[in-house]
Amino acid sequence: MKKKLLSVLLAGVMVISLAACGGGGGDSSGGDSNSNSSGSDTSAESDEGGSTEGGHKLTVWTWDPAFNIPAIKEAAEVYKAEVDSEFELEVIETLSDDCETKLQTCAESGDFGTMADIILMQDNSFQKFVSFYPEAFTDLTDSGIDFSEFAEGKLAYSIVDGKNYGVPFDNGAAISCYRTDILDEAGYTIDDLTDIDWDKFIEIGKAVKEKTGKYMLSGQANSQDIIMMMLQSAGASLFNEDGTPNLVGNDALNECIDLYQKMVKEGIFYEVNEWDEYVSSITNEQCAGTINGNWIMATVMGMEDTSGNWAITNLPKLVKTEGATNYSNNGGSSWYISSNCQNTDLAFDFMAKTFAGSVTLYENILPTTGAISTWGPAGDSEAYQAPQEFWSDQPIFATVVEFAEKTPSNNTSAYYYDVREVISTAIQDIMSGAGEKDAILEQAQADAEFYYQ
């Protein structure tokens, strides 16, 4: 089973990495869907609105013919086979940016009549839109969906003022991927990098660099994924509880920046400028590993000749910050029911019995899309527990679900991406010696607060 699952997965997941990550426009894939699980109509041109009350049809806005679209279409097939034989789902292919633009246009006109019943949104983007346009979304708190079965850290992205608004889709749990053959050359195993802190990681990284000439990690200097993951691993963030920026006097942020500086200075972290350079640093074997959302496995698995020489484990944890763990998140999206949905009972039941209730669904979409669940029961299934030859026979899918369940939630903001860009620029200034760290962070705080005026 494991070889069959892996071979299909390799074909299906190579295009998912940018779609699964939390940044960007969500248009990482183009062209027509090749999914054979369709039984539902799809249209990239349709502008039809929501369902008819009491009917059997729902509409959805989503993107990526290789990832999100086949997943929701398979959910429709499962629901049709197991619950309602008359059920129909119309998938309106809509890029992530376009979902947000259409939603904003509807909200500002006060007319939600053209919105689909269900909308997929990037997790961090949703916070901005629900803050500005709460009337566009349906409260799911009393929908009958059992939200307790989802990983807390993932679920937190769709909770506002104590109310549930979204049903989690893909798993953005962070992982550390390492080349076991490179570690072995330096005298280490994957166990030596499991449940450690960043001080120990730097010690091992220096030894690996000395003995193999390889960096331990790489990342974009202008897009600080690594800092964001470090922060969330301790339940910390760039924001206060009320969503305002927290850059000055943020002890966790200061520790993350200090550790980042040390890794670069010690020559174990390779800074690049562009995404393509980051990918190349992995595929050209400049680095012994990478730390990112688990969607990065699609990139790693493109190196077919290295099969069996990779393993995953958890992240190093912060040394000084209270609440430090070895678990974090980077990226992901969730399903939302719009206020235009006239048949909320059907939409609630569809979500409750598919993405919030069907092991079969998650087993079916795993090999075709690579989408890993944050819904706990899926992690116990046969498909998730199967060892994967590429990853040193680790049951990586079940492991990722476990990591998600242990990831702390943290504060976020409607201006998440804006403030993230501000701190990324500030860290570049710190690294280049453009000024004292405290002064640069004070300016960054002022720049971030500009968005709140």
Side-chain angles (χ1 to χ4, degrees), residues 210-450:
E210 180 182 350
K211 296 177 181 178
T212 70
K214 308 287 187 183
Y215 296 94
M216 278 297 284
L217 300 175
S218 58
Q220 288 178 260
N222 59 352
S223 181
Q224 284 293 336
D225 281 344
I226 193 70
I227 297 290
M228 299 302 105
M229 288 183 283
M230 284 178 164
L231 284 169
Q232 184 163 358
S233 70
S237 79
L238 302 176
F239 304 97
N240 297 305
E241 191 172 346
D242 64 358
T244 55
N246 178 26
L247 308 183
V248 173
N250 185 329
D251 292 339
L253 176 60
N254 272 289
E255 181 180 359
C256 294
I257 294 173
D258 289 346
L259 287 166
Y260 181 77
Q261 284 183 290
K262 189 173 182 180
M263 286 193 289
V264 174
K265 181 180 178 181
E266 296 289 355
I268 67 171
F269 190 99
Y270 178 41
E271 288 189 300
V272 299
N273 295 315
E274 303 294 338
W275 174 261
D276 289 347
E277 292 178 276
Y278 167 63
V279 171
S280 294
S281 70
I282 301 169
T283 58
N284 292 341
E285 304 186 11
Q286 293 171 275
C287 300
T290 190
I291 294 178
N292 220 321
N294 65 82
W295 39 263
I296 199 63
M297 291 191 296
T299 296
V300 173
M301 291 172 69
M303 303 166 63
E304 297 183 40
D305 59 339
T306 64
S307 177
N309 287 330
W310 287 90
I312 72 168
T313 189
N314 52 20
L315 278 63
K317 66 180 180 180
L318 297 180
V319 181
K320 303 174 183 177
T321 302
E322 184 179 355
T325 77
N326 295 98
Y327 307 95
S328 193
N329 188 82
N330 191 32
S333 53
S334 298
W335 304 104
Y336 297 90
I337 296 174
S338 81
S339 60
N340 186 48
C341 182
Q342 303 301 306
N343 194 348
T344 54
D345 287 344
L346 177 62
F348 292 168
D349 195 58
F350 172 61
M351 284 293 163
K353 292 176 180 173
T354 55
F355 292 102
S358 175
V359 170
T360 299
L361 169 62
Y362 285 109
E363 286 187 321
N364 289 354
I365 66 175
L366 183 65
T368 57
T369 70
I372 303 175
S373 172
T374 54
W375 184 64
D380 297 326
S381 71
E382 181 181 356
Y384 275 66
Q385 293 291 334
Q388 301 301 315
E389 185 177 14
F390 188 96
W391 299 97
S392 303
D393 287 328
Q394 290 179 298
I396 57 167
F397 303 121
T399 300
V400 168
V401 174
E402 177 189 347
F403 287 1
E405 291 171 345
K406 295 179 179 180
T407 298
S409 58
N410 64 355
N411 298 330
T412 188
S413 166
Y415 297 100
Y416 172 85
Y417 287 113
D418 304 296
V419 177
R420 173 180 164 138
E421 184 175 348
V422 167
I423 196 62
S424 294
T425 299
I427 291 171
Q428 285 181 283
D429 289 342
I430 292 169
M431 297 300 294
S432 67
E436 294 295 326
K437 181 173 76 170
D438 289 347
I440 290 173
L441 289 177
E442 286 177 5
Q443 182 58 55
Q445 178 78 23
D447 292 342
E449 288 174 352
F450 173 79

Side-chain angles (χ1 to χ4, degrees), residues 3-13 366-369:
K3 289 185 177 180
K4 180 180 179 182
L5 179 61
L6 178 60
S7 63
V8 179
L9 180 61
L10 274 168
V13 303
L366 183 65
T368 57
T369 70

